[in-house]
Amino acid sequence: MFERKRVDIGCLQEVRHRGQGTRVYGGEKKCKFWWNRSVEGRNGVGITVKEGLEDEVIEVKRLDDRMMKTAMVCGRKIIHVIFSCI
């Protein structure tokens, strides 16, 4: 869906994967997915980055099961994004 909509980076809420981790999805066009969710909880957040941009992610900090902080290199600048599921 991200490829069809031409989205490079997506923040997701209500992630169904348990715990925390990283996974690569896709066929021809791949994307990398980082997530965080409590084992017993209903909440969860994640970030998806398309193939080629995953090397630009320098930090993924999982604050809790509702918040994540990501740092990415964009040119000569570092962009920090904090996203949450409230």
Side-chain angles (χ1 to χ4, degrees), residues 12 15 17 22-35 47-51:
L12 306 168
V15 175
H17 294 294
T22 305
R23 186 171 286 171
V24 176
Y25 286 104
E28 293 178 18
K29 304 287 183 174
K30 296 186 190 277
C31 63
K32 192 165 186 178
F33 176 57
W34 291 268
W35 75 88
I47 183 171
T48 301
V49 178
K50 80 173 197 173
E51 183 179 31

PDB file of all heavy atoms in Angstrom, residues 12 15 17 22-35 47-51:
ATOM      1  N   LEU A  12       2.718   4.158  12.231  1.00  0.00           N
ATOM      2  CA  LEU A  12       1.539   3.315  12.386  1.00  0.00           C
ATOM      3  C   LEU A  12       1.142   3.213  13.847  1.00  0.00           C
ATOM      4  O   LEU A  12       1.991   3.230  14.734  1.00  0.00           O
ATOM      5  CB  LEU A  12       1.832   1.915  11.842  1.00  0.00           C
ATOM      6  CG  LEU A  12       2.347   1.862  10.406  1.00  0.00           C
ATOM      7  CD1 LEU A  12       2.862   0.478  10.100  1.00  0.00           C
ATOM      8  CD2 LEU A  12       1.260   2.259   9.455  1.00  0.00           C
ATOM      9  N   VAL A  15      -0.413  -1.457  16.405  1.00  0.00           N
ATOM     10  CA  VAL A  15       0.408  -2.515  15.825  1.00  0.00           C
ATOM     11  C   VAL A  15       0.049  -3.841  16.489  1.00  0.00           C
ATOM     12  O   VAL A  15      -0.108  -3.923  17.699  1.00  0.00           O
ATOM     13  CB  VAL A  15       1.905  -2.182  16.026  1.00  0.00           C
ATOM     14  CG1 VAL A  15       2.775  -3.308  15.544  1.00  0.00           C
ATOM     15  CG2 VAL A  15       2.248  -0.891  15.321  1.00  0.00           C
ATOM     16  N   HIS A  17       1.881  -6.783  16.236  1.00  0.00           N
ATOM     17  CA  HIS A  17       3.024  -7.588  16.654  1.00  0.00           C
ATOM     18  C   HIS A  17       3.254  -7.381  18.146  1.00  0.00           C
ATOM     19  O   HIS A  17       3.138  -6.281  18.652  1.00  0.00           O
ATOM     20  CB  HIS A  17       4.293  -7.181  15.902  1.00  0.00           C
ATOM     21  CG  HIS A  17       4.237  -7.465  14.438  1.00  0.00           C
ATOM     22  ND1 HIS A  17       4.195  -8.738  13.935  1.00  0.00           N
ATOM     23  CD2 HIS A  17       4.224  -6.633  13.372  1.00  0.00           C
ATOM     24  CE1 HIS A  17       4.158  -8.682  12.634  1.00  0.00           C
ATOM     25  NE2 HIS A  17       4.168  -7.417  12.256  1.00  0.00           N
ATOM     26  N   THR A  22      12.165  -5.672  14.759  1.00  0.00           N
ATOM     27  CA  THR A  22      12.362  -5.133  13.416  1.00  0.00           C
ATOM     28  C   THR A  22      12.126  -6.264  12.430  1.00  0.00           C
ATOM     29  O   THR A  22      12.513  -7.403  12.670  1.00  0.00           O
ATOM     30  CB  THR A  22      13.801  -4.613  13.258  1.00  0.00           C
ATOM     31  OG1 THR A  22      14.070  -3.673  14.279  1.00  0.00           O
ATOM     32  CG2 THR A  22      14.005  -3.964  11.917  1.00  0.00           C
ATOM     33  N   ARG A  23      11.497  -5.923  11.309  1.00  0.00           N
ATOM     34  CA  ARG A  23      11.224  -6.937  10.293  1.00  0.00           C
ATOM     35  C   ARG A  23      11.245  -6.267   8.919  1.00  0.00           C
ATOM     36  O   ARG A  23      10.888  -5.104   8.789  1.00  0.00           O
ATOM     37  CB  ARG A  23       9.857  -7.560  10.544  1.00  0.00           C
ATOM     38  CG  ARG A  23       9.554  -8.721   9.630  1.00  0.00           C
ATOM     39  CD  ARG A  23       8.314  -9.435  10.037  1.00  0.00           C
ATOM     40  NE  ARG A  23       8.617 -10.204  11.238  1.00  0.00           N
ATOM     41  CZ  ARG A  23       7.714 -10.818  11.965  1.00  0.00           C
ATOM     42  NH1 ARG A  23       6.449 -10.726  11.671  1.00  0.00           N
ATOM     43  NH2 ARG A  23       8.067 -11.498  13.021  1.00  0.00           N
ATOM     44  N   VAL A  24      11.636  -7.016   7.895  1.00  0.00           N
ATOM     45  CA  VAL A  24      11.615  -6.534   6.512  1.00  0.00           C
ATOM     46  C   VAL A  24      10.449  -7.206   5.808  1.00  0.00           C
ATOM     47  O   VAL A  24      10.286  -8.423   5.888  1.00  0.00           O
ATOM     48  CB  VAL A  24      12.948  -6.853   5.791  1.00  0.00           C
ATOM     49  CG1 VAL A  24      12.887  -6.440   4.339  1.00  0.00           C
ATOM     50  CG2 VAL A  24      14.112  -6.176   6.499  1.00  0.00           C
ATOM     51  N   TYR A  25       9.607  -6.399   5.132  1.00  0.00           N
ATOM     52  CA  TYR A  25       8.433  -6.887   4.418  1.00  0.00           C
ATOM     53  C   TYR A  25       8.546  -6.545   2.946  1.00  0.00           C
ATOM     54  O   TYR A  25       9.226  -5.602   2.569  1.00  0.00           O
ATOM     55  CB  TYR A  25       7.155  -6.223   4.946  1.00  0.00           C
ATOM     56  CG  TYR A  25       6.704  -6.725   6.279  1.00  0.00           C
ATOM     57  CD1 TYR A  25       6.907  -5.973   7.420  1.00  0.00           C
ATOM     58  CD2 TYR A  25       6.060  -7.949   6.400  1.00  0.00           C
ATOM     59  CE1 TYR A  25       6.475  -6.416   8.648  1.00  0.00           C
ATOM     60  CE2 TYR A  25       5.629  -8.399   7.630  1.00  0.00           C
ATOM     61  CZ  TYR A  25       5.839  -7.629   8.748  1.00  0.00           C
ATOM     62  OH  TYR A  25       5.420  -8.073   9.962  1.00  0.00           O
ATOM     63  N   GLY A  26       7.813  -7.271   2.136  1.00  0.00           N
ATOM     64  CA  GLY A  26       7.665  -6.909   0.731  1.00  0.00           C
ATOM     65  C   GLY A  26       8.173  -7.962  -0.220  1.00  0.00           C
ATOM     66  O   GLY A  26       8.854  -8.900   0.161  1.00  0.00           O
ATOM     67  N   GLY A  27       7.803  -7.784  -1.482  1.00  0.00           N
ATOM     68  CA  GLY A  27       8.260  -8.652  -2.556  1.00  0.00           C
ATOM     69  C   GLY A  27       9.366  -7.966  -3.320  1.00  0.00           C
ATOM     70  O   GLY A  27      10.519  -7.948  -2.909  1.00  0.00           O
ATOM     71  N   GLU A  28       8.987  -7.353  -4.457  1.00  0.00           N
ATOM     72  CA  GLU A  28       9.978  -6.603  -5.235  1.00  0.00           C
ATOM     73  C   GLU A  28      10.417  -5.347  -4.497  1.00  0.00           C
ATOM     74  O   GLU A  28      11.586  -5.029  -4.434  1.00  0.00           O
ATOM     75  CB  GLU A  28       9.384  -6.210  -6.579  1.00  0.00           C
ATOM     76  CG  GLU A  28       9.102  -7.362  -7.499  1.00  0.00           C
ATOM     77  CD  GLU A  28       8.470  -6.894  -8.792  1.00  0.00           C
ATOM     78  OE1 GLU A  28       8.561  -5.696  -9.102  1.00  0.00           O
ATOM     79  OE2 GLU A  28       7.883  -7.737  -9.479  1.00  0.00           O
ATOM     80  N   LYS A  29       9.468  -4.616  -3.979  1.00  0.00           N
ATOM     81  CA  LYS A  29       9.738  -3.389  -3.222  1.00  0.00           C
ATOM     82  C   LYS A  29       9.656  -3.724  -1.743  1.00  0.00           C
ATOM     83  O   LYS A  29       8.614  -4.120  -1.251  1.00  0.00           O
ATOM     84  CB  LYS A  29       8.725  -2.296  -3.563  1.00  0.00           C
ATOM     85  CG  LYS A  29       8.642  -1.971  -5.015  1.00  0.00           C
ATOM     86  CD  LYS A  29       9.856  -1.194  -5.453  1.00  0.00           C
ATOM     87  CE  LYS A  29       9.717  -0.807  -6.920  1.00  0.00           C
ATOM     88  NZ  LYS A  29      10.759   0.046  -7.360  1.00  0.00           N
ATOM     89  N   LYS A  30      10.746  -3.594  -1.045  1.00  0.00           N
ATOM     90  CA  LYS A  30      10.791  -3.961   0.367  1.00  0.00           C
ATOM     91  C   LYS A  30      10.689  -2.722   1.245  1.00  0.00           C
ATOM     92  O   LYS A  30      10.958  -1.611   0.806  1.00  0.00           O
ATOM     93  CB  LYS A  30      12.081  -4.694   0.676  1.00  0.00           C
ATOM     94  CG  LYS A  30      12.207  -6.001  -0.052  1.00  0.00           C
ATOM     95  CD  LYS A  30      13.424  -6.741   0.398  1.00  0.00           C
ATOM     96  CE  LYS A  30      13.696  -7.918  -0.466  1.00  0.00           C
ATOM     97  NZ  LYS A  30      13.025  -9.088  -0.235  1.00  0.00           N
ATOM     98  N   CYS A  31      10.286  -2.945   2.486  1.00  0.00           N
ATOM     99  CA  CYS A  31      10.276  -1.877   3.485  1.00  0.00           C
ATOM    100  C   CYS A  31      10.693  -2.483   4.822  1.00  0.00           C
ATOM    101  O   CYS A  31      10.532  -3.671   5.054  1.00  0.00           O
ATOM    102  CB  CYS A  31       8.904  -1.218   3.580  1.00  0.00           C
ATOM    103  SG  CYS A  31       7.596  -2.302   4.128  1.00  0.00           S
ATOM    104  N   LYS A  32      11.265  -1.651   5.668  1.00  0.00           N
ATOM    105  CA  LYS A  32      11.697  -2.091   6.989  1.00  0.00           C
ATOM    106  C   LYS A  32      10.728  -1.525   8.007  1.00  0.00           C
ATOM    107  O   LYS A  32      10.327  -0.369   7.916  1.00  0.00           O
ATOM    108  CB  LYS A  32      13.118  -1.615   7.274  1.00  0.00           C
ATOM    109  CG  LYS A  32      13.727  -2.278   8.491  1.00  0.00           C
ATOM    110  CD  LYS A  32      15.214  -2.077   8.515  1.00  0.00           C
ATOM    111  CE  LYS A  32      15.828  -2.862   9.647  1.00  0.00           C
ATOM    112  NZ  LYS A  32      17.273  -2.726   9.663  1.00  0.00           N
ATOM    113  N   PHE A  33      10.371  -2.341   8.999  1.00  0.00           N
ATOM    114  CA  PHE A  33       9.344  -1.995   9.970  1.00  0.00           C
ATOM    115  C   PHE A  33       9.891  -2.187  11.381  1.00  0.00           C
ATOM    116  O   PHE A  33      10.378  -3.258  11.713  1.00  0.00           O
ATOM    117  CB  PHE A  33       8.129  -2.904   9.733  1.00  0.00           C
ATOM    118  CG  PHE A  33       7.017  -2.738  10.703  1.00  0.00           C
ATOM    119  CD1 PHE A  33       6.413  -1.511  10.880  1.00  0.00           C
ATOM    120  CD2 PHE A  33       6.544  -3.816  11.431  1.00  0.00           C
ATOM    121  CE1 PHE A  33       5.370  -1.358  11.772  1.00  0.00           C
ATOM    122  CE2 PHE A  33       5.506  -3.677  12.314  1.00  0.00           C
ATOM    123  CZ  PHE A  33       4.923  -2.446  12.490  1.00  0.00           C
ATOM    124  N   TRP A  34       9.867  -1.129  12.189  1.00  0.00           N
ATOM    125  CA  TRP A  34      10.225  -1.182  13.602  1.00  0.00           C
ATOM    126  C   TRP A  34       8.936  -1.031  14.393  1.00  0.00           C
ATOM    127  O   TRP A  34       8.107  -0.190  14.054  1.00  0.00           O
ATOM    128  CB  TRP A  34      11.148  -0.029  13.991  1.00  0.00           C
ATOM    129  CG  TRP A  34      12.521  -0.078  13.439  1.00  0.00           C
ATOM    130  CD1 TRP A  34      13.610  -0.630  14.035  1.00  0.00           C
ATOM    131  CD2 TRP A  34      12.988   0.467  12.215  1.00  0.00           C
ATOM    132  NE1 TRP A  34      14.720  -0.455  13.248  1.00  0.00           N
ATOM    133  CE2 TRP A  34      14.359   0.220  12.120  1.00  0.00           C
ATOM    134  CE3 TRP A  34      12.364   1.151  11.165  1.00  0.00           C
ATOM    135  CZ2 TRP A  34      15.120   0.611  11.040  1.00  0.00           C
ATOM    136  CZ3 TRP A  34      13.126   1.540  10.080  1.00  0.00           C
ATOM    137  CH2 TRP A  34      14.477   1.272  10.034  1.00  0.00           C
ATOM    138  N   TRP A  35       8.758  -1.812  15.472  1.00  0.00           N
ATOM    139  CA  TRP A  35       7.540  -1.687  16.263  1.00  0.00           C
ATOM    140  C   TRP A  35       7.837  -1.853  17.738  1.00  0.00           C
ATOM    141  O   TRP A  35       8.883  -2.346  18.133  1.00  0.00           O
ATOM    142  CB  TRP A  35       6.488  -2.705  15.828  1.00  0.00           C
ATOM    143  CG  TRP A  35       6.773  -4.108  16.281  1.00  0.00           C
ATOM    144  CD1 TRP A  35       6.411  -4.680  17.468  1.00  0.00           C
ATOM    145  CD2 TRP A  35       7.477  -5.111  15.573  1.00  0.00           C
ATOM    146  NE1 TRP A  35       6.854  -5.981  17.525  1.00  0.00           N
ATOM    147  CE2 TRP A  35       7.518  -6.263  16.373  1.00  0.00           C
ATOM    148  CE3 TRP A  35       8.092  -5.152  14.332  1.00  0.00           C
ATOM    149  CZ2 TRP A  35       8.127  -7.427  15.966  1.00  0.00           C
ATOM    150  CZ3 TRP A  35       8.708  -6.320  13.939  1.00  0.00           C
ATOM    151  CH2 TRP A  35       8.718  -7.441  14.742  1.00  0.00           C
ATOM    152  N   ILE A  47       7.027   2.217  12.888  1.00  0.00           N
ATOM    153  CA  ILE A  47       7.441   3.066  11.773  1.00  0.00           C
ATOM    154  C   ILE A  47       7.881   2.161  10.630  1.00  0.00           C
ATOM    155  O   ILE A  47       8.536   1.138  10.850  1.00  0.00           O
ATOM    156  CB  ILE A  47       8.567   4.041  12.175  1.00  0.00           C
ATOM    157  CG1 ILE A  47       8.915   4.953  11.009  1.00  0.00           C
ATOM    158  CG2 ILE A  47       9.784   3.316  12.684  1.00  0.00           C
ATOM    159  CD1 ILE A  47       9.851   6.085  11.354  1.00  0.00           C
ATOM    160  N   THR A  48       7.477   2.531   9.428  1.00  0.00           N
ATOM    161  CA  THR A  48       7.847   1.804   8.232  1.00  0.00           C
ATOM    162  C   THR A  48       8.625   2.742   7.323  1.00  0.00           C
ATOM    163  O   THR A  48       8.211   3.874   7.099  1.00  0.00           O
ATOM    164  CB  THR A  48       6.591   1.301   7.492  1.00  0.00           C
ATOM    165  OG1 THR A  48       5.853   0.467   8.376  1.00  0.00           O
ATOM    166  CG2 THR A  48       6.958   0.515   6.270  1.00  0.00           C
ATOM    167  N   VAL A  49       9.759   2.255   6.816  1.00  0.00           N
ATOM    168  CA  VAL A  49      10.619   3.043   5.941  1.00  0.00           C
ATOM    169  C   VAL A  49      10.882   2.220   4.688  1.00  0.00           C
ATOM    170  O   VAL A  49      11.194   1.033   4.774  1.00  0.00           O
ATOM    171  CB  VAL A  49      11.951   3.381   6.649  1.00  0.00           C
ATOM    172  CG1 VAL A  49      12.866   4.151   5.741  1.00  0.00           C
ATOM    173  CG2 VAL A  49      11.699   4.146   7.927  1.00  0.00           C
ATOM    174  N   LYS A  50      10.748   2.849   3.515  1.00  0.00           N
ATOM    175  CA  LYS A  50      10.936   2.105   2.275  1.00  0.00           C
ATOM    176  C   LYS A  50      12.396   1.740   2.051  1.00  0.00           C
ATOM    177  O   LYS A  50      13.299   2.326   2.643  1.00  0.00           O
ATOM    178  CB  LYS A  50      10.386   2.888   1.086  1.00  0.00           C
ATOM    179  CG  LYS A  50      11.279   3.963   0.555  1.00  0.00           C
ATOM    180  CD  LYS A  50      10.685   4.529  -0.712  1.00  0.00           C
ATOM    181  CE  LYS A  50      11.743   5.294  -1.472  1.00  0.00           C
ATOM    182  NZ  LYS A  50      11.284   5.708  -2.763  1.00  0.00           N
ATOM    183  N   GLU A  51      12.597   0.776   1.182  1.00  0.00           N
ATOM    184  CA  GLU A  51      13.935   0.282   0.860  1.00  0.00           C
ATOM    185  C   GLU A  51      14.791   1.423   0.321  1.00  0.00           C
ATOM    186  O   GLU A  51      14.349   2.237  -0.475  1.00  0.00           O
ATOM    187  CB  GLU A  51      13.816  -0.816  -0.188  1.00  0.00           C
ATOM    188  CG  GLU A  51      15.114  -1.457  -0.565  1.00  0.00           C
ATOM    189  CD  GLU A  51      14.918  -2.552  -1.589  1.00  0.00           C
ATOM    190  OE1 GLU A  51      13.990  -2.464  -2.407  1.00  0.00           O
ATOM    191  OE2 GLU A  51      15.718  -3.488  -1.578  1.00  0.00           O
TER     192      GLU A  51
END
